[in-house]
């Protein structure tokens, strides 16, 4: 929380000398930078700095390092586990003014961007080149934030996550040094993989100031489909068989009946209120048709009705916008409510067990929790619709979340497939990783001995001591 550091006034004075009005202590700006889109209670930083270059980020970090003041990198603020909350006060470094696309190489299928570039901005820029960047978290997140949370989305089943799609990055270290984590070559066996170390580090090891991304050709044909099932087990079994058959679906998303009802109301759709799959296929006209027919046959085996597919851009866009708005549709189910969003991921062979046990658990609860998931990867989400000022509701969400995570871990899964750890999942780190957490704490200490980079995130308190 703000006001915890004796030398803060000096730090703010130095940063104001460096940045002028781009270092601000205005309450509204501090408040906006003290929370993400999660239920976690906000904690405002002491000041917010708007950086414009790697060199400027380095200078900001050097000032903070000298005075041992926390630094919290800030992208679009759409994370879901309290990632940007300034729980120990400090300086929020907002990267939104670093939003240039620096270079696109169609011949190498890659590009380099500043961290404040938003995913939709990048794809609009790329459209005329015939290329696109596939990673699509529901929100219009920044590339720096997506790299730092190891984000993914609906396309990951075909194109992978941020982990598979970053070639190298420029990073400002906790002491202000600037490094490049690698080069643009597709492969490298040269030393430790620092690129991967920084993907998913949630700003705890440094600030990313440039990212080199892989790009893909826009497919010749794209078709989308919806199909509903009499029960959720049929829908999941159809997903498992589709993946095991090796059909290269570009998207395969499950929505349970509660989530379908929510998006019908929110996005003005009229889908049958039943467990439903949203699918997308990429390829040539003929190949897209072939994939859709194969998946339609599989779905029929599991009792599906009404496999409807389209290549119309408007219909596809409406469908996927509704899917991306699923969280807002969940919030709209109850006046004045918020959501506690959580996600787990399990091996695909355990997906049915994990979802069915979870649905059973939810039946015994007084909370509503729509289920939606990137099920082709074994990843699904719950949105507990809560009023966080009601302690019984928070406690119930906490209980159900804990049981969900235990279930996923018992199935050789993970406590988060894509949202990350932040504040909310720190307590599950030992359960998932055991002694490996101590190795993470050792790495953190080696790179950031004064614990100034986004302190209080990822590493559980007992390991950080
Ligand atoms: C409606 C909705 C749907 C979502 N759907 C998905 C989904 O499908 N898949 C998914 O993966 N996520 C999803 N998310 C979560 C969120 O969008 C992602 O975690 C996203 O990657 C966060 O990016 P951001 O720019 O908002 O980062 P922020 O929230 O600003 O920051 C996230 C973390 O990264 C750090 N950080 C930010 N920029 C940098 C930088 N340049 N250098 C170092 N550290 C940095 C921050 O300190 C923080 O720890 C969803 C969120 C919402 C609200």
């Amino acid at each position: 929380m703000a006001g915890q550091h004796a030398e803060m006034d000096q730090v703010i004075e130095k940063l104001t000398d460096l940045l002028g009005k781009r270092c601000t202590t205005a309450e509204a700006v501090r408040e906006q930078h003290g929370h993400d889109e999660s239920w976690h209670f906000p904690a405002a930083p002491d000041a917010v700095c708007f950086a414009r270059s790697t060199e400027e980020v380095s200078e900001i970090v050097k000032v903070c390092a000298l005075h041992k003041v926390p630094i919290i990198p800030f992208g679009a603020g759409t994370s879901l586990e309290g990632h940007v909350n300034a729980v120990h006060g400090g300086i929020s470094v907002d990267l939104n003014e670093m939003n240039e696309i620096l270079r696109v190489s169609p011949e190498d299928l890659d590009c380099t961007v500043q961290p404040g570039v938003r995913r939709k901005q990048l794809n609009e820029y790329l459209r005329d080149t015939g290329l696109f960047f596939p990673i699509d978290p529901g929100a219009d997140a920044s590339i720096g934030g997506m790299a730092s949370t190891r984000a993914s989305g609906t396309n990951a089943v075909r194109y992978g996550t941020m982990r598979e799609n970053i070639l190298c990055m420029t990073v400002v270290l906790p002491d202000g040094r600037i490094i490049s984590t690698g080069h643009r070559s597709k492969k490298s066996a040269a030393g430790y993989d620092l690129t991967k170390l920084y993907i998913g580090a949630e700003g705890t090891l440094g600030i990313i100031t440039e990212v080199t991304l892989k790009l893909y050709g826009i497919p010749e044909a794209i078709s989308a489909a919806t199909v509903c099932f009499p029960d959720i087990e049929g829908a999941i079994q159809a997903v498992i068989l589709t993946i095991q058959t090796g059909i290269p679906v570009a998207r395969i998303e499950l929505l349970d009946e509660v989530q379908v009802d929510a998006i019908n109301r929110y996005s003005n759709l009229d889908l049958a209120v039943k467990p439903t799959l949203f699918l997308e296929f990429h390829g040539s006209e003929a190949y897209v048709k072939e994939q859709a027919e194969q998946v339609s046959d599989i779905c029929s085996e599991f009792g599906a009705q009404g496999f409807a597919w389209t290549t119309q851009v408007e219909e596809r866009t409406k469908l996927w916008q509704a899917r991306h708005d699923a969280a807002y549709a969940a919030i709209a189910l109850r006046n004045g409510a918020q959501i506690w969003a959580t996600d787990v991921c399990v091996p695909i062979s355990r997906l049915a067990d994990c979802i069915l046990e979870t649905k059973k658990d939810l039946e015994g609860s007084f909370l509503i929790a729509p289920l939606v998931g990137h099920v082709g990867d074994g990843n699904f989400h719950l949105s507990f619709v809560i009023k966080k000022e009601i302690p019984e509701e928070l406690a119930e969400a906490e209980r159900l979340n804990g049981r969900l995570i235990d279930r996923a871990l018992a199935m050789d899964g993970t406590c988060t497939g894509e949202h990350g750890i932040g504040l909310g999942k720190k307590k599950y780190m030992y359960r998932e990783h055991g002694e490996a957490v101590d190795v993470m704490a050792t790495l953190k200490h080696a790179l950031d001995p004064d614990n100034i980079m986004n302190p209080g995130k990822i590493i559980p308190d007992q390991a950080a001591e």
Side-chain angles (χ1 to χ4, degrees):
M1 262 163 283
Q4 295 175 17
H5 300 274
E7 297 174 27
M8 189 56 77
D9 288 348
Q10 284 181 56
V11 169
I12 293 173
E13 206 178 305
K14 287 185 187 176
L15 293 174
T16 306
D17 285 348
L18 185 69
L19 303 169
K21 287 192 175 143
R22 287 186 288 117
C23 172
T24 176
T25 54
E27 200 174 329
V29 182
R30 289 176 38 234
E31 190 277 329
Q32 186 226 335
H33 287 76
H35 63 86
D36 54 15
E37 294 216 22
S38 70
W39 67 272
H40 289 279
F41 292 92
D46 291 87
V48 180
C49 289
F50 293 86
R52 286 190 180 155
S53 67
T54 299
E55 291 67 30
E56 235 175 43
V57 171
S58 165
E59 292 307 313
I60 296 168
V61 171
K62 281 180 190 162
V63 171
C64 292
L66 184 67
H67 296 275
K68 300 188 177 23
V69 157
I71 301 164
I72 307 98
F74 190 95
T78 67
S79 40
L80 293 170
E81 291 291 354
H83 289 72
V84 296
N85 301 22
V87 285
H88 297 285
I91 307 296
S92 173
V93 178
D94 185 309
L95 285 311
N96 279 288
E97 294 190 20
M98 291 180 68
N99 64 352
E100 271 181 56
I101 295 158
L102 300 171
R103 182 193 61 79
V104 178
S105 297
E107 62 280 14
D108 290 319
L109 293 172
D110 69 25
C111 70
T112 301
V113 304
Q114 290 188 311
V117 167
R118 301 292 178 96
R119 69 173 183 86
K120 288 186 185 167
Q121 174 195 351
L122 177 58
N123 277 326
E124 264 154 41
Y125 183 92
L126 290 171
R127 193 170 299 143
D128 291 342
T129 66
L131 301 173
F132 80 115
F133 180 64
I135 316 299
D136 65 335
D140 191 16
S142 72
I143 299 295
M146 288 165 61
S148 301
T149 53
R150 209 185 290 134
S152 51
T154 62
N155 279 313
V157 64
R158 170 85 177 253
Y159 298 96
T161 71
M162 287 304 276
R163 183 172 63 178
E164 288 80 31
N165 284 290
I166 294 180
L167 289 167
C168 59
M169 300 194 279
T170 301
V171 178
V172 174
L173 301 181
D175 59 9
R177 278 179 297 161
I178 300 167
I179 60 159
S180 171
T181 64
H183 301 278
R184 286 171 52 223
S185 56
K186 273 271 143 63
K187 299 186 349 183
S188 168
Y192 297 152
D193 192 340
L194 296 182
T195 307
K196 294 277 194 291
L197 179 64
Y198 277 92
I199 300 172
E202 299 184 3
T204 62
L205 300 177
I207 302 185
I208 298 164
T209 59
E210 282 182 21
V211 189
T212 296
L213 300 164
K214 291 187 194 169
L215 301 174
Y216 297 81
I218 296 174
E220 179 193 318
I222 300 178
S223 76
T226 58
V227 55
C228 71
F229 292 78
D231 55 53
I232 198 158
E233 183 165 13
I236 305 164
Q237 294 300 350
V239 171
I240 295 173
L241 191 56
T242 299
I243 298 297
Q244 288 173 344
T245 310
I247 301 168
V249 281
R251 292 167 152 169
I252 185 162
E253 298 283 308
L254 171 70
L255 295 84
D256 76 352
E257 65 289 353
V258 188
Q259 184 70 68
V260 172
D261 184 37
I263 68 162
N264 273 348
R265 293 164 195 233
Y266 187 80
S267 300
N268 210 10
L269 298 180
D270 58 357
L271 298 166
V273 181
K274 290 186 174 166
T276 299
L277 296 179
F278 282 14
L279 294 121
E280 192 167 275
F281 308 100
H282 293 178
S284 64
E285 297 279 355
Y287 193 37
V288 156
K289 185 165 178 283
E290 185 188 324
Q291 291 176 64
E293 283 168 0
Q294 280 179 310
V295 174
S296 173
D297 289 348
I298 289 177
C299 291
S300 303
E301 274 183 47
F302 296 100
Q305 300 141 351
F307 188 93
W309 68 289
T310 176
T311 49
Q312 296 295 316
V313 178
E314 302 79 49
E315 283 180 48
R316 277 199 283 117
T317 309
K318 188 170 180 201
L319 196 67
W320 289 112
Q321 191 55 50
R323 163 61 191 92
H324 279 136
D325 287 340
Y328 302 112
I331 295 172
L333 282 173
R334 190 174 162 204
N335 270 345
Q338 288 152 309
I339 54 164
W340 171 323
T342 186
D343 83 303
V344 295
C345 190
V346 294
I348 192 92
S349 62
R350 303 306 312 273
L351 185 64
D353 292 339
C354 196
I355 291 184
L356 291 174
E357 285 178 32
T358 302
K359 288 285 286 178
K360 211 165 174 191
D361 220 19
L362 292 174
E363 277 166 24
S365 173
F366 61 89
L367 286 183
I368 313 172
L371 183 152
V372 62
H374 314 308
V375 278
D377 295 316
N379 181 206
F380 69 94
H381 306 217
L382 289 180
S383 302
F384 302 112
V385 183
I386 57 164
K387 292 193 176 173
K388 72 178 185 187
E389 55 287 0
I390 302 177
E392 296 75 28
E393 298 201 1
L394 267 187
E396 177 65 352
E398 168 100 49
R399 184 185 75 81
L400 292 168
N401 191 34
R403 286 172 60 82
L404 171 69
I405 289 166
D406 283 344
R407 192 173 302 126
L409 294 181
M411 295 180 180
D412 217 4
T414 173
C415 71
T416 171
E418 55 180 29
H419 292 165
I421 298 297
L423 293 171
K425 289 193 169 164
K426 270 193 322 182
K427 61 170 167 252
Y428 304 110
M429 283 289 279
Y430 270 111
R431 233 181 282 170
E432 175 158 342
H433 292 295
E435 261 184 70
V437 175
D438 299 332
V439 177
M440 293 185 205
T442 304
L443 278 170
K444 163 79 174 162
H445 187 70
L447 288 168
D448 182 18
D450 294 319
N451 192 21
I452 59 168
M453 290 303 314
N454 205 2
K457 314 294 163 56
I458 297 190
I459 307 289
D461 299 339
Q462 63 270 44
E465 280 155 12

